């Protein structure tokens, strides 16, 4: 199993929309996540004292070919539609490629 973490930042005026989307995620998107060998997928939110709206995302990958599974997910029309709803909610984080909204984090500790 591979554990993955990402950080993202929401625009202040999109927090409610993003939280509402994730309070009622689309069943087809949830099914694709499972189908692409992702489990224990969690997203955490924190409004920081400086005003930033941070997200931390964690997922466990149980498949054999992460790149192929992520390409399959990205090709799904419903997932694309979901991303079209979510991506505009994100602030751009320095260092991300154009169109990306999540910055990959390095795992530095794990206790099984």
């Amino acid at each position: 199993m591979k554990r993955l973490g990402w950080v993202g930042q929401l625009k202040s005026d999109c927090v409610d929309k993003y939280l509402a989307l994730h309070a009622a995620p689309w069943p087809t998107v949830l099914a694709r996540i499972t189908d692409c060998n992702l489990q224990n997928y969690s997203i955490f939110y924190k409004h920081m004292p400086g005003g930033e709206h941070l997200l931390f995302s964690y997922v466990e990958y149980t498949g054999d070919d992460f790149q192929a599974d992520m390409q399959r997910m990205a090709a799904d029309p419903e997932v694309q539609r979901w991303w079209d709803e979510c991506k505009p909610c994100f602030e751009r984080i320095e260092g991300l490629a154009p169109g990306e909204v999540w910055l990959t984090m390095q795992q530095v500790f794990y206790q099984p």
Side-chain angles (χ1 to χ4, degrees):
M1 177 185 49
K2 181 178 187 174
R3 291 174 297 281
L4 302 150
W6 297 276
V7 65
Q9 184 174 339
L10 294 176
K11 295 176 182 174
S12 294
D13 62 342
C14 292
V15 171
D16 290 340
K17 176 183 178 176
Y18 188 86
L19 297 179
L21 281 167
H22 287 81
W26 303 346
T28 53
V29 173
L30 296 176
R32 178 59 69 194
I33 288 169
T34 300
D35 181 54
C36 289
N37 300 302
L38 299 171
Q39 65 183 27
N40 294 322
Y41 189 9
S42 302
I43 299 174
F44 299 86
Y45 166 74
K46 177 68 177 171
H47 183 196
M48 299 297 289
E52 300 90 355
H53 299 273
L54 299 182
L55 296 173
F56 169 71
S57 175
Y58 170 83
V59 71
E60 296 168 353
Y61 177 71
T62 59
D64 298 321
D65 190 341
F66 182 73
Q67 293 298 359
D69 282 333
M70 294 308 96
Q71 288 173 353
R72 196 159 41 94
M73 179 165 319
D76 184 296
E78 280 295 292
V79 170
Q80 290 175 13
R81 212 165 59 85
W82 175 261
W83 289 346
D84 286 344
E85 290 291 322
C86 294
K87 280 186 174 185
C89 295
F90 282 81
E91 290 282 357
R92 173 114 169 76
I93 296 177
E94 189 175 330
L96 285 175
E100 295 294 317
V101 296
W102 290 101
L103 185 62
T104 301
M105 299 181 77
Q106 176 186 353
Q107 181 178 329
V108 297
F109 177 79
Y110 172 70
Q111 161 120 23

